[in-house]
Every structure is written in structure tokens, then in C-alpha cells.
Amino acid sequence: EAGVAQSPRYKIIEKRQSVAFWCNPISGHATLYWYQQILGQGPKLLIQFQNNGVVDDSQLPKDRFSAERLKGVDSTLKIQPAKLEDSAVYLCASSLAGGGVDTQYFGPGTRLTVL
Amino acid sequence: DQQVKQNSPSLSVQEGRISILNCDYTNSMFDYFLWYKKYPAEGPTFLISISSIKDKNEDGRFTVFLNKSAKHLSLHIVPSQPGDSAVYFCAASASNDYKLSFGAGTTVTVRA
């Protein structure tokens, strides 16, 4: 079974530029998560989708971050414009249903460096 | 605020010995706890979990202990193997929203 796919794996941009990340979850997984992991910290949930609807985006900086999950399968996370403090690894995860104690499966992440 | 804390950023242990990783939490609503393992350039992978109705869960070489009164859990790895060298994240969730809160991680190095 294929795991969670993410691209690109690495991205370097200058501040004020825009960037987009792509995630393809495990087939059949209804719930998709985007996390931000800053160096030395644990992953922090940015947004959670159930199919193509948003369940929780309370920690998403909506003035610059946006995410969508068209057709309830793959998803994109965009940052526009990027700031220096956005340098982090962006992890995508998926789970079968999203309710209860559902195991989340993580992709390899995209390492973003903002100069 | 950080609701899940892993106060030891690193741990070095000799191959064959026991590794003990600790985790503390502050939110009394947390009732489900997980450990994830992460290798460099890979995403975290689920290792083991425990519900608040239990105080111990064992899976092969890995055992998680939960002390609800102290709001503390620990992960024991016995015996430690070189392939266990990784970053270990403690995570917790509450049954009212199931959102995972992660600790900052502990880097384990198993010496030959």
C-alpha cells in the first residue's frame, strides 16, 4: 500500500514570495491533516479536512496561509507571502476516518527555507 | 502553550540496555496518548498508544506506562537496538476533539 506522498521535498524561497505544497493521502483515507514542524519543536496542526470539508483550521494563519482539498483526495497548502518564521517542515498526514482514536500516517514532509 | 512536554531533548543508551523516555502533560482532558518515531528525512510513524483506562500497554520491545494522577507517561524500549536511534515524539488527544498535541521530541542514540 502506498504511503502519503508529498512534493516538493525541499523548497528555498525569499521572504514575500509565495509557495505551494502538495499532498496525496493514502487511498481511501477520508481525513487529511497539515502540520507545521519548526526546528526543535513537535508538529503543530494547521488544518484538518474531513473529505473536502474543513474540520479545524483554528491554528492556520489565514492572512497568509490557505489550503484546499478539492474532490476530497489530494490537497495543496499555500503560503503567500512567506515570512522568515515560516521556515519549517510541513507534514501532511491522513487517517481512515478521523473520528476517535484514528492512527495518523505521515508523509515525508516538505522542508521550507525562507531567506 | 505547550500542553505536552518532553523535558529531555536527548538520550544516549548502550545497545542491549533499556531506554526510558518521559513525557508530561498538563491538560486533564487528555485521555489518549501515543508515541511516534521519526527517522531523518522521513515523517513520524506510529509506534504505540495507550488509553486512559489502562496504565500499561506492551508491544514487543516497547511498553508505555501511564500515571494519570501525575499526568506522566513513559516509553520503555527493552532491549535497545541500533535501529531504535531516532527522534521519539509523545502526543496526546482528548475525546472531545481528537486533535493531537505533540511534545518537542527526544532524540535517542543507541551506542554499539
Side-chain angles (χ1 to χ4, degrees):
Chain A
E1 180 183 83
V4 177
Q6 289 188 248
S7 68
R9 292 296 310 275
Y10 304 91
K11 190 73 177 178
I12 300 174
I13 61 172
E14 295 194 348
K15 60 183 179 184
R16 291 188 289 274
Q17 287 187 321
S18 62
V19 64
F21 313 127
W22 174 83
C23 171
N24 186 250
I26 293 173
S27 178
H29 279 195
T31 306
L32 186 146
Y33 313 79
W34 282 103
Y35 287 87
Q36 179 192 59
Q37 186 182 5
I38 294 172
L39 187 65
Q41 299 180 18
K44 182 185 84 172
L45 180 69
L46 292 176
I47 189 167
Q48 177 183 342
F49 291 95
Q50 180 84 10
N51 296 307
N52 59 353
V54 175
V55 173
D56 185 340
D57 64 357
S58 57
Q59 298 192 92
L60 186 75
K62 298 180 188 63
D63 57 334
R64 298 184 301 107
F65 285 64
S66 65
E68 59 182 11
R69 190 183 184 197
L70 299 176
K71 301 179 182 178
V73 181
D74 56 358
S75 175
T76 55
L77 176 70
K78 297 179 182 177
I79 308 175
Q80 182 179 4
K83 292 186 175 181
L84 295 177
E85 59 261 35
D86 298 332
S87 293
V89 175
Y90 291 85
L91 294 162
C92 179
S94 70
S95 65
L96 195 57
V101 292
D102 212 15
T103 300
Q104 296 184 28
Y105 298 87
F106 285 82
T110 296
R111 181 175 295 278
L112 174 66
T113 301
V114 182
L115 303 176
Chain B
D1 67 12
Q2 192 145 10
Q3 300 183 79
V4 178
K5 296 180 182 178
Q6 295 177 255
N7 292 319
S8 298
S10 63
L11 171 69
S12 180
V13 64
Q14 195 165 9
E15 182 178 1
R17 306 294 283 266
I18 184 171
S19 294
I20 300 177
L21 291 77
N22 294 303
C23 178
D24 297 293
Y25 61 96
T26 56
N27 189 339
S28 57
M29 297 299 291
F30 286 153
D31 55 9
Y32 190 68
F33 306 89
L34 309 89
W35 286 92
Y36 277 82
K37 176 179 180 179
K38 184 183 182 303
Y39 292 119
E42 295 183 13
T45 56
F46 170 75
L47 187 59
I48 192 169
S49 63
I50 187 166
S51 163
S52 60
I53 62 173
K54 295 184 174 182
D55 54 18
K56 176 183 174 181
N57 188 26
E58 191 172 350
D59 184 1
R61 296 185 297 113
F62 302 91
T63 303
V64 56
F65 296 90
L66 175 62
N67 182 333
K68 291 186 290 292
S69 61
K71 293 190 177 69
H72 176 84
L73 64 155
S74 62
L75 174 69
H76 292 207
I77 308 173
V78 184
S80 298
Q81 298 175 353
D84 297 330
S85 295
V87 179
Y88 290 79
F89 291 100
C90 173
S93 70
S95 54
N96 60 348
D97 71 6
Y98 301 111
K99 186 164 59 180
L100 287 182
S101 294
F102 283 85
T106 297
T107 300
V108 173
T109 304
V110 180
R111 309 184 311 270

